[in-house]
Amino acid sequence: MARAATKKGKRAKQAPRPRQQSGSVGGSAKSVEQQLFFGRIRRQAKWVFALLAVVFAGSFVFLGVGSGNAGLGDLFNGNLFGGGSSGPSVKSLQKKVAENAKDAQSLLDLGQALERDGRTLEAIAAFRRYVQLRPRSLDGLNQLAALYERRARSQETQLRAASAKVPTVPDPAQFAPGGKLGQALTAYPDPLVQALQGQVVLRQAELLPLLQQTRRDALAVYQQIAAVTPDEPGAVEQAAIAALQVCSATAGSSCPELQTALLAFQGYLAKFPDATDAAQVKQQIKQIQAQLRANPSVASPSQS
């Protein structure tokens, strides 16, 4: 009997204690409350991050115009307007557009589908048709601007790659013997080097006009965005930046868009005199004015 009582006592000591339900319920409620709280914080912070992104995109020009940075359109590219999400196939959307050329929603969906497939030129064509039907649609305008930016960066990469193919050879005069023999050996350039350099020049001549046209097309879209949202500082400033990007692609030749940039920056300061980058914009205006004085032919009659 004593052994049985001892064993029963051991089993009683080893029995697990019941869980306290009140603590568990409290912890769960606290966890749910925290999730809701942080969810609200994230939702309220979205506009702050968007504003910071606009300010960053608008100010990059002062660090190096035409350096391949993204423009304002990239801020609205991707998931913000449904980019990356699955949807109708390109073929089905092309069929809808063929049946009704004024079906704006199908054109928008088609542009997004083509963009997801990496068919940039076709996507640009679809978005251009869409904004013709919906000229005040920020959705379409921003995505079109983003596509132009992507195409311009790709063209800039191709230009840099073409320039890198220029052969660098040492001066043959350094290794040639003296006298008439040396003069004869160095009188004629290497035909292989000449041929390679000629190919590079032709490739650059082919790519540069395409880049210039893409930058001008992007400028037109940014100007349209600024017209739709005249009270948005980032949109107004980005139009000026886009004009400077056109000039950065003109390879040192005269650029009428320089005058466009000047007027856009001046309009920006007039409308937003207390902008955080006002001092930088004023400095940029001085630089543009100096360039226009050095090359009066690009100034408008009222400015020359």
Side-chain angles (χ1 to χ4, degrees), residues 16-30:
R17 294 181 180 180
R19 295 182 179 178
Q20 295 180 359
Q21 299 296 327
S22 59
S24 175
V25 172
S28 176
K30 184 177 181 181

Side-chain angles (χ1 to χ4, degrees), residues 176-261:
K180 293 184 178 181
L181 177 59
Q183 293 177 0
L185 291 174
T186 58
Y188 302 98
D190 188 332
L192 177 59
V193 172
Q194 272 193 321
L196 292 174
Q197 290 175 340
Q199 291 177 4
V200 169
V201 170
L202 289 174
R203 181 60 174 159
Q204 290 173 334
E206 175 187 352
L207 291 173
L208 193 57
L210 297 177
L211 172 60
Q212 293 169 354
Q213 186 59 52
T214 300
R215 285 298 183 191
R216 288 192 171 97
D217 290 338
L219 170 60
V221 177
Y222 284 125
Q223 288 174 326
Q224 197 169 348
I225 293 173
V228 173
T229 57
D231 296 325
E232 172 55 55
V236 176
E237 190 177 29
Q238 181 64 32
I241 293 171
L244 286 182
Q245 287 180 311
V246 173
C247 293
S248 72
T250 56
S253 59
S254 62
C255 179
E257 284 79 11
L258 198 60
Q259 181 69 30
T260 303

Side-chain angles (χ1 to χ4, degrees), residues 44-265:
Q44 293 171 2
K46 283 182 179 179
W47 71 270
V48 178
F49 292 124
L51 179 60
L52 290 174
V54 168
V55 172
F56 175 80
S59 61
F60 83 90
V61 67
F62 303 107
L63 302 178
V65 176
S67 57
N69 293 311
L72 183 62
D74 276 346
L75 304 179
F76 304 92
N77 192 19
N79 292 330
L80 184 57
F81 293 117
S85 60
S86 59
S89 67
V90 169
K91 286 186 178 181
S92 64
L93 291 169
Q94 287 174 330
K95 184 178 179 181
K96 284 185 178 181
V97 171
E99 293 172 351
N100 183 4
K102 294 185 178 181
D103 186 348
Q105 185 59 50
S106 293
L107 278 169
L108 179 64
D109 294 340
L110 175 60
Q112 292 172 340
L114 289 166
E115 181 184 0
R116 288 194 296 269
D117 286 355
R119 297 158 67 173
T120 303
L121 282 176
E122 294 174 85
I124 286 175
F127 278 117
R128 288 185 62 159
R129 292 175 62 186
Y130 172 77
V131 298
Q132 286 175 354
L133 296 173
R134 299 288 186 271
R136 297 185 63 83
S137 170
L138 286 176
D139 190 338
L141 289 169
N142 285 318
Q143 293 188 71
L144 180 56
L147 286 169
Y148 278 132
E149 289 287 351
R150 181 183 303 175
R151 178 162 170 75
R153 290 196 298 271
S154 174
Q155 291 168 333
E156 288 168 349
T157 300
Q158 293 177 53
L159 267 171
R160 287 193 295 270
S163 301
K165 292 181 180 179
V166 177
T168 55
V169 294
D171 184 1
Q174 297 178 355
F175 306 98
K180 293 184 178 181
L181 177 59
Q183 293 177 0
L185 291 174
T186 58
Y188 302 98
D190 188 332
L192 177 59
V193 172
Q194 272 193 321
L196 292 174
Q197 290 175 340
Q199 291 177 4
V200 169
V201 170
L202 289 174
R203 181 60 174 159
Q204 290 173 334
E206 175 187 352
L207 291 173
L208 193 57
L210 297 177
L211 172 60
Q212 293 169 354
Q213 186 59 52
T214 300
R215 285 298 183 191
R216 288 192 171 97
D217 290 338
L219 170 60
V221 177
Y222 284 125
Q223 288 174 326
Q224 197 169 348
I225 293 173
V228 173
T229 57
D231 296 325
E232 172 55 55
V236 176
E237 190 177 29
Q238 181 64 32
I241 293 171
L244 286 182
Q245 287 180 311
V246 173
C247 293
S248 72
T250 56
S253 59
S254 62
C255 179
E257 284 79 11
L258 198 60
Q259 181 69 30
T260 303
L262 175 62
L263 295 176
F265 277 126

